[in-house]
Amino acid sequence: PVMEGKAVLFKQFGGVDAVPICLDTQDTEAIIAAVTALAPSFGGINLEDISAPRCFEIERRLEETLPIPVFHDDQHGTAIVVLAALRNAAALLNRKLNDLRVVVSGAGAAGVAVTKMLIAGGVNAHEIVVCDSRGIIHHGRPDLTPVKAELAGLTNGDGRTGGITEALRDADVLIGVSGGQVPEEAVAGMAPGGIVFALANPTPEVHPEVAARHAAVVATGRSDYPNQINNVLAFPGVFRGALDVGATRITEGMKVAAADAIAAVVADSLRPDAIVPSPLDPRVAPAVAAAVAEAARREGVIRAS
């Protein structure tokens, strides 16, 4: 019961009353029509379990139409926590975000959002390489969707081609959001002292013990390993902050502020096995809410009182 579970987490961590509404359709227009019709009852909309590429169109259209925040957690919740974790991992290793070479394995909803969030957070876009199931995304591929063509224009400044092995050669960071497996020999080709976030659940792209042979910091999406990248660190506080100030939407600046707040909670006690707070840390949601609210005020996306 994913939707019911999310509603409980909203209430427990953010004090937000959430109502799970499940739609018996996968049609883009039907989803948009249903959410638009229901929206007057709610202060915000959290989209859940809508796959790419439909999720991009649905979120964009609803953001344009509705006067309340619309947030696709599978995209942006993941991206916020990834940015927080990478910020702290880089700090732990005395690295700067804009010096890192990053490979994102996966170009679905989470992969696209993670890539854009990393750029917004300070990673050099030209130093990011995104891979899908057919290899590196670059301008020379004739099979790119419009979303992937946009990624090709933003990233891969060196024009790399090939597969995940070529992408990871001398890379500093691997972020796996694909569910596909990354062979150990590809991870071994990364630069020394690297960072691996293998976030597929329950089977990470690289087993954490294998990743640890080649990387200085390892994170997963699982609760039985250190450094769990868990969306509950983001979405309750994001909505709490947005609702507190009557935000009309959730901007990139609000998402970056949320990531910075998550990172700051444990910034003074970083270890290779503790780069993000525990998902149960009660300090996180209030810190995220305050940061998101302040960013909304700063960006002027709040309703006039």
Side-chain angles (χ1 to χ4, degrees), residues 36-296:
T36 301
L38 288 165
S41 293
F42 298 99
I45 303 290
N46 183 61
L47 301 173
E48 185 74 28
D49 286 347
I50 303 175
S51 62
R54 290 176 301 127
C55 63
F56 305 121
E57 173 76 1
I58 290 168
E59 184 183 42
R60 181 186 64 80
R61 296 260 301 277
L62 290 172
E63 282 182 332
E64 291 174 352
T65 303
L66 300 180
I68 58 176
V70 177
F71 186 81
H72 185 207
D73 187 49
D74 296 325
Q75 289 187 68
H76 308 301
T78 301
I80 287 168
V81 184
V82 166
L83 176 58
L86 186 60
R87 194 176 292 289
N88 277 349
L92 183 67
L93 300 175
N94 294 314
R95 305 289 301 275
K96 294 181 179 178
L97 286 185
N98 62 2
D99 290 334
L100 297 175
R101 287 199 59 245
V102 178
V103 174
V104 177
S105 177
V112 171
V114 164
T115 300
K116 292 183 176 180
M117 181 60 59
L118 294 181
I119 294 169
V123 176
N124 184 342
H126 288 175
E127 295 296 331
I128 300 175
V129 174
V130 184
C131 295
D132 63 9
S133 60
R134 299 186 180 184
I136 294 172
I137 291 176
H138 60 87
H139 275 307
R141 280 180 46 179
D143 61 334
L144 298 181
T145 65
V147 171
K148 292 180 181 180
E150 181 188 5
L151 283 183
L154 289 172
T155 64
N156 194 12
D158 292 339
R160 291 198 177 206
T161 60
I164 189 67
T165 300
E166 288 75 23
L168 282 174
R169 191 168 296 130
D170 300 322
D172 302 300
V173 181
L174 166 62
I175 299 172
V177 282
S178 66
Q181 294 299 290
V182 177
E184 181 174 2
E185 55 267 28
V187 180
M190 294 175 64
I195 299 165
V196 173
F197 296 172
L199 306 184
N201 207 349
T203 306
E205 290 84 356
V206 185
H207 192 281
E209 293 172 12
V210 172
R213 296 174 194 157
H214 308 284
V217 177
V218 178
T220 73
R222 289 174 45 157
S223 60
D224 54 342
Y225 286 95
N227 295 329
Q228 185 190 17
I229 307 298
N230 191 319
N231 289 13
V232 77
L233 291 168
F235 66 82
V238 167
F239 270 89
R240 180 73 272 160
L243 294 171
D244 282 347
V245 294
T248 57
R249 58 194 178 97
I250 295 171
T251 65
E252 288 295 295
M254 292 161 72
K255 296 171 201 169
V256 171
D260 290 347
I262 294 168
V265 169
V266 292
D268 293 334
S269 57
L270 295 178
R271 304 190 312 269
D273 61 349
I275 58 168
V276 287
S278 161
L280 303 179
D281 192 321
R283 299 173 294 171
V284 175
V288 171
V292 167
E294 175 56 31

